[in-house]
Amino acid sequence: MSTSESTGTDRKTGEPTFTICCNHGQIRLPPINQPPALVVYAPGPYTIQIKGQTHHRIGSVIPQQGRLPEYLQLYIFDTGNEVRNHLNAMGQTSTEGNLDETTLKRRIEMIDENNFLAKIFRWARDHYESVRTEFAIRLLPDKGKGKEYDLPSTSEVAGLIVGDIVVQFQSDTLQQIRDDHPLYMSLQYPLLFPYGEYGFHPEIPLHLETCTSRTRQLLTIRQYYASQIQTRLNQGMTLIKGGRLLHQFAGDAYTAIEEDRLRWARNNQDVLRVELYSNVLDAVSKGDTDAKIIGQKFILPPSFTGGLRYVVEKYHDAMAICREFGNPDLFITMTANTNWREIKEHLGKYGGDSPNDRLDIECRVFKMKLEQLLKDFKKGTFFKPYTAALHRIE
């Protein structure tokens, strides 16, 4: 952490305090384990290929007749030809050359030995080979007790329990995985989470001081992922040294955060008082007189970044400033630079990866420099102090 990111000082020790990593010490997540010996910190093209596709859905245990196994089916069906099935599922080659069968076999063995999810699927394979009856796998969220799993009967899968991942024996459809399921990321990125670690769930408590007046007691999904991608030299660095896999992970984390915000807006329309925005009369006035085509409309508040009302509100704010203070005198563009000294010094502390592998560090340094630039303009360091200003980040 840089002192420029400090949000204040501790009253007792006088040391700077931070929010992005630990929220002033309120976020205490289990330390990230050191990876198995086979996982290297500079993933090549093979690591990129094994990830699967970012559909965030899960299929059946056994593939449909005439179709090749893929995803978790590779751990259960036709395991005698598993290496060949993996190669077929990944198209035989990567973007940078042929995939190595020996490396693939060793990584399969590594996942089998360390990943508890892979062990569940191998158990299912043994069950399938010995009994040859239909079954399903249920991966429970299990938010406070540890890892649990079972093999329920087919009849038990008739109704899916909200929050569970129930993998049916054979199905033509894919099941959506909720972004707040603890196994969401471990199922998507078996090489970033080689032990099948549990991830975020909505009931992780914050460590608050006694007699606090704070109303929020639980960790938010944004706080969780912001804390998870911090550089900690005394813990495993499988995630932050994931290269392009880290890029994809950050994108998935961002979409999960956005989905959580959208879900809150959808479930709290009464709090947002959306009846002031939309009703049946609005639909009729627009010509939507056929009740079959009128669905339920969810309103996004102006506080939702990027939403329609957010954009309109910012536009009106800008026009109001121009009306009051006149048109802008300066139009300044600031861009990020991967060769900034702060970025190189940070990367040099744990191995000197390419700056392009740590886009989060680039963004944080850019934000610090932007805030310093705004402070300089406000104090009159370069020009006379400004009376009004607007800025946006693309």
Side-chain angles (χ1 to χ4, degrees):
M1 299 297 294
S2 169
T3 54
S4 301
E5 293 181 293
S6 171
T7 57
T9 56
D10 187 271
R11 291 177 296 178
K12 299 178 180 178
T13 63
E15 296 292 329
T17 57
F18 303 90
T19 58
I20 189 173
C21 63
C22 58
N23 200 36
H24 303 290
Q26 296 174 354
I27 301 174
R28 302 176 189 175
L29 299 177
I32 299 177
N33 296 323
Q34 296 293 339
L38 188 61
V39 175
V40 292
Y41 276 148
Y46 190 85
T47 301
I48 305 302
Q49 288 296 318
I50 201 173
K51 68 183 184 301
Q53 298 181 20
T54 57
H55 289 170
H56 308 313
R57 294 181 172 90
I58 198 164
S60 59
V61 173
I62 302 300
Q64 290 292 311
Q65 187 173 3
R67 298 186 61 177
L68 295 174
E70 56 185 358
Y71 307 115
L72 70 84
Q73 296 168 354
L74 296 168
Y75 292 89
I76 299 172
F77 182 76
D78 192 19
T79 53
N81 299 302
E82 185 168 7
V83 174
R84 176 53 50 187
N85 290 336
H86 271 275
L87 292 173
N88 291 335
M90 292 182 289
Q92 300 282 341
T93 61
S94 71
T95 57
E96 300 181 19
N98 295 327
L99 298 176
D100 182 71
E101 292 191 22
T102 303
T103 303
L104 171 58
K105 184 176 180 180
R106 291 178 61 197
R107 294 202 174 187
I108 292 175
E109 294 173 351
M110 181 270 293
I111 292 177
D112 283 350
E113 181 181 352
N114 297 280
N115 192 299
F116 97 94
L117 291 170
K119 293 179 181 179
I120 294 175
F121 301 143
R122 295 305 194 194
W123 181 38
R125 173 200 61 189
D126 297 338
H127 181 84
Y128 171 70
E129 292 180 349
S130 61
V131 181
R132 292 284 176 173
T133 58
E134 293 193 8
F135 63 92
I137 302 173
R138 173 173 296 162
L139 302 176
L140 303 178
D142 192 31
K143 298 171 182 176
K145 302 176 184 178
K147 303 175 178 65
E148 294 183 9
Y149 53 87
D150 61 2
L151 289 175
S153 63
T154 306
S155 59
E156 291 179 307
V157 190
L160 300 183
I161 300 176
V162 176
D164 287 5
I165 300 175
V166 181
V167 189
Q168 300 185 25
F169 182 79
Q170 201 168 53
S171 173
D172 290 327
T173 60
L174 295 175
Q175 177 195 164
Q176 184 75 33
I177 301 178
R178 283 181 59 99
D179 54 88
D180 58 357
H181 193 286
L183 296 176
Y184 175 71
M185 287 299 186
S186 289
L187 287 169
Q188 176 69 9
Y189 300 101
L191 293 184
L192 292 183
F193 304 97
Y195 300 103
E197 298 93 326
Y198 267 40
F200 172 79
H201 61 77
E203 297 181 11
I204 300 176
L206 289 170
H207 292 264
L208 304 175
E209 295 181 0
T210 56
C211 302
T212 181
S213 60
R214 184 183 175 98
T215 56
R216 172 172 287 280
Q217 305 290 323
L218 302 175
L219 189 70
T220 67
I221 187 171
R222 188 201 65 81
Q223 290 174 327
Y224 178 87
Y225 286 121
S227 176
Q228 193 176 38
I229 63 173
Q230 299 301 310
T231 303
R232 297 180 175 91
L233 301 179
N234 60 339
Q235 298 183 18
M237 296 186 182
T238 314
L239 179 59
I240 66 171
K241 289 200 171 186
R244 283 178 285 175
L245 272 183
L246 175 60
H247 294 191
Q248 183 178 321
F249 173 84
D252 281 347
Y254 169 78
T255 55
I257 294 169
E258 289 292 278
E259 177 62 26
D260 183 73
R261 291 170 174 166
L262 289 170
R263 187 162 47 240
W264 185 92
R266 182 172 62 246
N267 297 334
N268 291 273
Q269 294 286 285
D270 55 335
V271 177
L272 300 174
R273 301 188 66 182
V274 298
E275 68 275 3
L276 300 177
Y277 298 96
S278 177
N279 53 35
V280 177
L281 293 178
D282 293 335
V284 175
S285 65
K286 295 178 182 178
D288 298 332
T289 56
D290 185 356
K292 294 181 179 179
I293 63 173
I294 300 178
Q296 185 176 4
K297 186 176 182 179
F298 296 104
I299 303 298
L300 293 180
S303 58
F304 183 82
T305 304
L308 176 61
R309 286 172 176 78
Y310 171 89
V311 174
V312 172
E313 182 182 80
K314 298 304 179 185
Y315 167 78
H316 285 298
D317 289 345
M319 293 300 100
I321 292 175
C322 290
R323 284 195 302 268
E324 179 68 22
F325 298 100
N327 294 331
D329 297 311
L330 297 173
F331 183 86
I332 300 173
T333 300
M334 176 182 176
T335 59
N337 186 346
T338 57
N339 292 318
W340 274 333
R341 173 177 54 82
E342 295 85 351
I343 297 177
K344 289 191 173 183
E345 288 180 352
H346 180 90
L347 298 177
K349 291 180 179 180
Y350 68 92
D353 290 344
S354 168
N356 292 327
D357 289 337
R358 291 298 304 275
L359 299 182
D360 58 313
I361 299 300
E362 290 185 16
C363 292
R364 287 166 59 183
V365 174
F366 172 82
K367 185 68 163 51
M368 288 188 290
K369 289 184 175 290
L370 172 63
E371 291 178 349
Q372 184 60 52
L373 180 66
L374 296 176
K375 289 180 181 179
D376 290 338
F377 277 115
K378 190 173 183 178
K379 293 178 181 179
T381 303
F382 306 111
F383 307 97
K384 66 178 181 179
Y386 63 78
T387 54
L390 300 170
H391 80 274
R392 64 166 298 170
I393 301 175
E394 294 185 0

